[in-house]
Amino acid sequence: MGVTLQMSEEKELSREEIERLQKEVRRLAEEKNAIILAHYYQRPEVQDIADFVGDSLELSRKAASTDADIIVFCGVRFMCETAKILSPRKKVLHPNPESGCPMADMITAEQVRKLREKHPDAEFVAYINTTAEVKAEVDLCVTSANAPRVIKKLSSKKIVFLPDQALGQWVAKQVPDKEFILWKGFCPPHFEFTAREVEKLKEQYPDAKVAVHPECHPKVIEMADFVGSTSQILKYATSVEAKKVIVITEVGLKYTLMKKNPNKEYIFPESMNYCGTVYCCTMKGITLPKVYETLRDETNEVLLPEEIIERARRPIERMLQLS
Ligand code: SF4
């Protein structure tokens, strides 16, 4: 027998309701041979019911290797699409179809085709944070964890990098022998966080190290002791000698950091004021009741045209080989 809670009007859940729903989700996952994947930026109560919590690359790999019949993907739309591309015969469910990534939506397939006409001699590299239609137009996908390493392996001297200008600039500095043409997309929560806010945190915590995600503004990146993807920050912050680490990435990571090494202090911009927080609203659009309802009813299935799946798989597989 399932839980029958009225959840169309979402409200704050009590601890008991959260635990009850979590048990129900796990029971349904067993019964339906479903795997639950969650990004590090998800809410703690959602991370807790996941079979696996990770960043884009790790989740892509999980999606490709699982033998589950259903993948419930707790992340934004492009991540669910990537799971579908890599596991086309599985049922991929997205608990909130309205949770997209604003950066991924800053470039369309049509715009990529036009750029191709302008730069026929370039290799086109897309950050994994792109729609399936955009992936279908490019030569290679990368994540923030592997971008510099993978791009160095390309023979082409000219790279069109899209859509994230901040990540593109950071990569270009590490691959100086190539020419980069950057699309002007950006991640609103990361890119809009200012260097002045980092300065204030450094004044407040002078003995702390600073770890920054490469989607941040180049001026913020300049102030970092360490720059890396979410997984790389997780590794750095939990193992660095310093007792305090200022972490400039989405605040959801704090939960995993505390679980992995509670003996350190992780300072997120949230401690200053809410406006200065690196907070992704669309990631937080996935709630526990939505995960429960989606798995129970097997709704919100991610569907893509066969032709897009075929074409979008090539740049992702190339990335997985090169990385
Ligand atoms: S944190 Fe930025 S890149 Fe990630 S989903 Fe949110 S808007 Fe997109």
Side-chain angles (χ1 to χ4, degrees):
M1 293 291 285
V3 172
T4 48
L5 284 177
Q6 176 58 48
M7 283 167 298
S8 49
E9 298 266 317
E10 284 200 22
K11 57 179 172 70
E12 192 93 349
L13 298 175
S14 67
R15 179 48 35 205
E16 291 72 36
E17 283 171 319
I18 288 174
E19 283 171 9
R20 200 147 60 100
L21 271 180
Q22 286 177 322
K23 273 193 198 145
E24 264 309 289
V25 171
R26 286 311 319 167
R27 186 190 65 75
L28 284 170
E30 299 278 307
E31 188 184 293
K32 294 175 181 245
N33 190 27
I35 188 172
I36 300 173
L37 304 179
H39 193 271
Y40 287 128
Y41 300 168
Q42 291 295 299
R43 297 161 183 268
E45 66 272 21
V46 172
Q47 290 191 31
D48 281 346
I49 43 143
D51 293 281
F52 187 79
V53 181
D55 68 9
S56 300
L57 179 61
E58 294 164 338
L59 294 173
S60 306
R61 287 202 163 117
K62 276 283 161 196
S65 64
T66 181
D67 57 7
D69 296 313
I70 297 175
I71 299 172
V72 180
F73 208 116
C74 304
V76 289
R77 193 180 315 116
F78 78 80
M79 295 179 175
C80 305
E81 289 181 350
T82 306
K84 183 69 186 173
I85 291 162
L86 292 170
S87 300
R89 266 166 279 287
K90 295 194 191 312
K91 196 182 247 192
V92 178
L93 307 179
H94 189 197
N96 185 354
E98 285 174 20
S99 279
C101 165
M103 173 161 66
D105 293 335
M106 287 178 190
I107 189 162
T108 64
E110 179 57 27
Q111 285 170 318
V112 181
R113 286 192 288 272
K114 284 203 173 127
L115 265 182
R116 279 261 189 217
E117 284 167 20
K118 269 177 89 176
H119 304 285
D121 52 338
E123 276 211 79
F124 275 59
V125 180
Y127 192 16
I128 195 93
N129 300 29
T130 39
T131 63
E133 286 78 11
V134 165
K135 287 185 178 80
E137 299 292 335
V138 300
D139 304 307
L140 174 70
C141 283
V142 291
T143 68
S144 52
N146 65 24
R149 193 160 27 98
V150 170
I151 292 173
K152 272 179 195 164
K153 292 182 185 172
L154 300 179
S155 55
S156 175
K157 286 280 171 216
K158 190 172 172 187
I159 306 292
V160 172
F161 187 90
L162 54 94
D164 187 10
Q165 57 181 298
L167 180 64
Q169 283 188 51
W170 180 69
V171 174
K173 276 196 179 155
Q174 295 168 75
V175 192
D177 60 318
K178 295 193 193 295
E179 180 196 352
F180 282 78
I181 291 130
L182 307 178
W183 190 254
K184 286 219 162 189
F186 60 94
C187 160
H190 283 96
F191 196 69
E192 285 166 6
F193 192 74
T194 66
R196 180 67 199 118
E197 306 249 28
V198 184
E199 260 168 35
K200 285 193 220 160
L201 282 171
K202 283 180 84 162
E203 282 161 17
Q204 212 179 333
Y205 303 95
D207 51 344
K209 292 284 183 195
V210 180
V212 170
H213 194 282
E215 287 169 12
C216 289
H217 195 282
K219 285 192 175 145
V220 170
I221 290 179
E222 270 172 27
M223 302 172 82
D225 295 296
F226 178 83
V227 184
S229 69
T230 313
S231 294
Q232 290 162 341
I233 290 177
L234 179 63
K235 207 167 164 193
Y236 170 82
T238 51
S239 60
V240 69
E241 236 175 76
K243 280 272 170 244
K244 294 177 186 171
V245 188
I246 297 167
V247 185
I248 313 296
T249 192
E250 215 278 346
V251 66
L253 184 65
K254 192 171 191 176
Y255 186 63
T256 316
L257 286 167
M258 290 301 294
K259 279 215 286 202
K260 200 164 175 203
N261 187 350
N263 299 316
K264 288 188 189 289
E265 191 180 344
Y266 307 104
I267 301 133
F268 277 73
E270 58 172 345
S271 56
M272 295 169 67
N273 60 56
Y274 187 75
C275 297
T277 303
V278 183
Y279 181 91
C280 180
C281 303
T282 52
M283 278 281 187
K284 299 298 189 283
I286 308 293
T287 61
L288 187 58
K290 283 193 166 75
V291 177
Y292 168 66
E293 288 176 346
T294 299
L295 181 55
R296 181 193 62 193
D297 304 337
E298 296 185 30
T299 48
N300 303 334
E301 184 173 359
V302 178
L303 298 169
L304 292 170
E306 276 296 318
E307 176 252 350
I308 292 290
I309 290 179
E310 270 311 302
R311 288 169 51 218
R313 187 165 45 221
R314 277 178 245 143
I316 302 172
E317 279 178 348
R318 193 169 171 215
M319 168 186 77
L320 294 174
Q321 280 159 11
L322 289 172
S323 66

